[in-house]
Every structure is written in structure tokens, then in C-alpha cells.
Amino acid sequence: MMILDSFLIRAALAGVGVALAAAPLGCFVVWRRMAYFGDATAHASILGIALALSFDTSVFVGVLAMALIMATVVSTLSGRGYAVDTLLGVLAHSSLAFGLVAVSFLHGVRLDLMAYLFGDILAVGVSDLLVIWGGAILVVALLWWRWSALLTATLNPDLAYAAGIDPKREQLVLTLALSVVVAVAIKVVGVLLIAAMLIIPAATARPFAGTPERMTVIAAITGGASALGGLQLAFMFDTPTGPTIVCLAACLFALSSLKQLFYRA
């Protein structure tokens, strides 16, 4: 355990753990065009933080519970007369606003709101690492178990029905996994940047991937490289770590986009 005494080692392990959890899920978010869904779930976590601190319980539990509630509400209301993008917009900004208002009522509680909004990877402890890697293993195992069904339901819902697969059940699996990723990633990149770590590595991997499995692997490598490289750059230039990680991921996406443009030309 002595190796974990270094805050940089803990930060690096936390970044890689979040990248491994977010990569396969991020691919499904890109394929299903669920980017705003990730934003809405992440924004709801601020309300979960406020409730957790109010009831003196684990922040992870509060965030996970609120993310699950948001995912359930969206899944229930979508397709019932509400346009999905409108529904997600209302819920995302409303939950963030209610969360920030709820935080303002917390008296006698030391709360670094900026750390929750933009992450504080350098403050990750051993217990946080256990939560992050436990969540990453859970998400990867869940998606591995349901991979074929999830892929079929994503590519062709009608074919999924014909094969005896319920697309709504598979979407529930994805929302459950998304809630876990939000809960474990909040310490590393924060509420406002979680969706970026879900989407950007997957979007970066897309031009280089001939199969869904290869895209997942490349997305994981991209996410891990962004986390480690962003941590190094933040240390060198004394910049906020979470945003620096996302900036590096965005630069990698720009490079992959240039490759795709030149290839088409």
C-alpha cells in the first residue's frame, strides 16, 4: 500500500479507472446519440450531493441514487408526448439549479463546490480508488455480460425484438451503467465534465475502428492517455486538472478528425 501514499499515483490510477469505465459506455452513448442524456444524469448529481450531505450519508450513495432517479424519470417520460431533447434539457438544467439552491442551504458543512463541478483528482484517497475501480469493474462486467444484446438493440431494435431481446430493458441496463459511471467519475472530472469524458474518447476512436469491439478498446486507450497526459500537463503548467484532462482529450479528437478529413480527401 506504500505506493498509494503518493497523491500522483492515486490520481493516475483514478483517471485510468474512470477512463476504463467510461470508454465502453461512451461508445454506446455515441452510437445511440445519448450525449444529452449523460449531461442530464451528471447535472442531477449536484442535487444528490446536497441530499447526501444533508442526511450525513456517503456522497457516492447520494449521487448514485439521484442519477438512477434521473435515468428512470427520463426513460419513463420519453415517448409519452415529450420530445427527448426537450425533456432532457428541462431535467438537466432544473436538477442542476435545484442542486445549487439546495447546497446554499447547507450550513456548518464544509463544501468545495468547485471540486464537485470540475473535479479534484489530486484529492483522491485510497477509499475513493476502491469506489472508482469497483464501479469500473461493475460497469465493464455488466456491459460484457449484455454486450451482444445491447449491440443488437442499438443497431436494429426491430431485429432485437425478433431475436427475443427487449430494447427497453437494454436501455435500462445502459442507464444503470451510466449512473454508476457518473457516481465514480465525479471526484475525478466533476459534474460539468463527465459527459465530455464519456463522449470525446469514443468519438476520437470512431474513425480508427472497424468493429464495435475495436472502437471500445481504442476509446479506453484514448481516455487513459487523456487522463495520464492531462495530469502531467496540469502538474507542469499548474492548471486545473479535470479541465486539462478534457482539453487533451479534445485535442486528440481534433487530430482524429483531421485524419478522417484527409483520408476522405
Side-chain angles (χ1 to χ4, degrees), residues 8-20 121 124-125 128-129 132-133 184 187-188 227:
L8 285 176
I9 295 295
R10 293 196 301 270
L13 289 173
V16 172
V18 168
L20 290 178
I121 191 173
V124 168
D128 296 317
L129 277 180
I132 290 170
W133 277 90
V184 301
K187 187 83 172 181
V188 175

Side-chain angles (χ1 to χ4, degrees), residues 29-54:
V29 168
V30 169
W31 293 331
R32 286 173 170 255
R33 300 179 181 178
M34 292 171 60
Y36 214 169
F37 189 93
D39 251 345
T41 309
H43 287 175
S45 61
I46 283 290
L47 184 55
I49 292 168
L51 293 174
L53 294 174
S54 299

Side-chain angles (χ1 to χ4, degrees), residues 19-213:
L20 290 178
L25 187 59
C27 292
F28 281 104
V29 168
V30 169
W31 293 331
R32 286 173 170 255
R33 300 179 181 178
M34 292 171 60
Y36 214 169
F37 189 93
D39 251 345
T41 309
H43 287 175
S45 61
I46 283 290
L47 184 55
I49 292 168
L51 293 174
L53 294 174
S54 299
F55 291 101
D56 195 25
T57 187
S58 166
V59 169
F60 172 78
V61 172
V63 170
L64 181 59
M66 204 62 224
L68 285 171
I69 290 171
M70 172 64 79
T72 303
V73 169
V74 172
S75 297
T76 302
L77 293 181
S78 60
R80 298 194 177 189
Y82 296 95
V84 175
D85 58 344
T86 302
L87 181 64
L88 289 173
V90 170
L91 291 176
H93 300 301
S94 299
S95 58
L96 179 60
F98 275 110
L100 294 174
V101 169
V103 165
S104 71
F105 285 106
L106 295 174
H107 299 294
V109 177
R110 185 177 177 276
L111 177 64
D112 185 359
L113 189 58
M114 293 297 289
Y116 286 111
L117 289 176
F118 297 103
D120 191 8
I121 191 173
L122 298 179
V124 168
V126 176
S127 59
D128 296 317
L129 277 180
L130 293 175
V131 170
I132 290 170
W133 277 90
I137 291 169
L138 176 63
V139 168
V140 171
L142 182 63
L143 295 182
W144 181 277
W145 173 48
R146 303 299 305 169
W147 180 262
S148 179
L150 282 168
L151 203 55
T152 304
T154 297
L155 298 176
N156 194 326
D158 293 332
L159 180 61
Y161 276 119
I165 299 169
D166 184 358
K168 285 194 172 295
R169 182 186 62 204
E170 303 310 319
Q171 181 167 342
L172 187 60
V173 171
L174 281 179
T175 56
L176 173 63
L178 183 61
S179 301
V180 174
V181 168
V182 167
V184 301
I186 194 169
K187 187 83 172 181
V188 175
V189 290
V191 169
L192 300 182
L193 302 176
I194 289 173
M197 284 306 290
L198 278 168
I199 299 163
I200 297 177
T204 302
R206 198 167 193 170
F208 301 96
T211 65
E213 292 79 11

